[in-house]
């Protein structure tokens, strides 16, 4: 997959907002090289190109990805995908600082690059065995069972992203909910001293 395909996909998702606190785009390649040297890792080429193109950002729309093996997902098996971190070590949202903060919790060989649900991370595997694969790190699980594969590589992760529907339903659905809840709601209001009074 080429970088232009990823750029097109991000545009289809509604675009991004650049982080106001992280690096300027022209510095990203320098930060990427420093990061690789410091941690003695080689980042996949497409991953590097994506970060060189976008830097640190958040999405304009709420975004999700399917993670079917995670035990705490909603019934549709999707998790939130949010803020993409930067590689500038001086930034408070840098990948290096996330790694330092999670030392002893996040398994070695996994690079956190994005927020998931609150407290969770989306990671790139740079270990030899599963190199390039993307995993969801669930912070509430034990070290032995806290990584769940999302995609075979970074390109496939971006391809799988979807806009998250956070609406509470259509007007017709809302009407049905109101009708179903009305008797119970009225009963509660009456018991509280509010609402219409009973006859007799």
């Amino acid at each position: 997959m080429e970088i232009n395909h990823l750029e097109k996909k991000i545009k289809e998702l509604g675009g991004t907002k650049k982080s106001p606190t992280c690096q300027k785009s022209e510095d990203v390649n320098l930060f990427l090289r420093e990061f690789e040297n410091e941690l003695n890792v080689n980042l996949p080429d497409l991953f590097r190109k994506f970060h060189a193109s976008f830097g640190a950002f958040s999405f304009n729309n709420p975004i999700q990805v399917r993670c079917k093996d995670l035990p705490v997902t909603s019934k549709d098996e999707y998790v939130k995908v949010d803020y993409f971190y930067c590689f500038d070590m001086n930034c408070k949202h840098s990948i290096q600082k996330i790694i330092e903060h999670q030392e002893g919790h996040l398994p070695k060989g996994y690079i956190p690059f994005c927020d998931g649900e609150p407290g969770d991370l989306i990671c790139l595997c740079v270990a030899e065995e599963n190199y390039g694969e993307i995993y969801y790190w669930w912070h509430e699980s034990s070290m032995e069972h806290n990584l769940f594969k999302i995609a075979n590589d970074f390109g496939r992760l971006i391809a799988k992203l979807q806009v998250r529907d956070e609406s509470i339903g259509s007007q017709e659905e809302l009407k049905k909910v109101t009708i179903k809840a009305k008797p119970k709601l009225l009963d509660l209001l009456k018991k509280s001293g509010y609402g219409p009074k009973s006859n007799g």
Side-chain angles (χ1 to χ4, degrees):
M1 189 175 290
E2 299 295 330
I3 184 63
N4 61 308
H5 293 131
L6 304 194
E7 291 170 343
K8 181 181 178 183
K9 175 66 178 185
I10 295 298
K11 188 174 181 180
E12 290 171 357
L13 293 170
T16 65
K17 298 184 288 284
K18 283 191 176 294
S19 168
T21 60
C22 286
Q23 76 273 5
K24 297 177 182 177
S25 58
E26 59 266 24
D27 298 326
V28 179
N29 279 311
L30 172 62
F31 293 139
L32 285 165
R33 286 195 297 274
E34 290 176 346
F35 177 86
E36 288 179 312
N37 290 335
E38 182 172 328
L39 274 73
N40 192 28
V41 298
N42 290 309
L43 299 171
D45 187 53
L46 190 59
F47 182 84
R48 295 179 94 268
K49 287 179 179 177
F50 182 88
H51 280 271
S53 178
F54 287 95
F57 68 86
S58 57
F59 289 100
N60 289 325
N61 290 320
I63 301 298
Q64 65 182 8
V65 69
R66 192 177 184 197
C67 186
K68 63 180 181 177
D69 296 322
L70 185 65
V72 293
T73 53
S74 59
K75 63 181 181 180
D76 59 3
E77 301 178 338
Y78 283 86
V79 291
K80 184 178 180 182
V81 178
D82 198 359
Y83 183 79
F84 274 63
Y85 311 131
C86 71
F87 285 89
D88 180 2
M89 288 184 287
N90 297 314
C91 174
K92 64 179 181 179
H93 299 299
S94 73
I95 289 176
Q96 289 92 330
K97 284 188 171 58
I98 301 292
I99 293 172
E100 289 169 10
H101 180 70
Q102 296 296 346
E103 188 175 3
H105 302 285
L106 187 68
K108 293 192 180 299
Y110 291 84
I111 307 297
F113 62 87
C114 177
D115 281 339
E117 299 290 343
D120 297 345
L121 301 167
I122 296 175
C123 304
L124 167 73
C125 180
V126 291
E128 185 177 351
E129 186 178 351
N130 300 311
Y131 180 80
E133 294 180 351
I134 307 299
Y135 287 81
Y136 190 92
W137 180 71
W138 181 30
H139 76 286
E140 293 183 3
S141 184
S142 64
M143 279 285 285
E144 295 79 20
H145 304 96
N146 59 6
L147 287 167
F148 301 86
K149 185 175 174 180
I150 303 177
N152 289 331
D153 56 50
F154 185 73
R156 286 181 174 86
L157 169 72
I158 299 300
K160 290 173 67 175
L161 297 181
Q162 300 177 13
V163 175
R164 188 173 193 158
D165 183 7
E166 296 190 336
S167 65
I168 56 174
S170 66
Q171 290 300 314
E172 196 57 39
E173 288 170 333
L174 286 174
K175 215 179 285 182
K176 290 175 186 175
V177 171
T178 304
I179 292 166
K180 286 179 183 176
K182 191 173 180 182
K184 184 184 279 189
L185 178 60
L186 284 174
D187 188 48
L188 287 171
L189 287 170
K190 286 175 187 176
K191 287 178 181 177
S192 303
Y194 298 97
K197 305 294 182 187
S198 299
N199 292 329

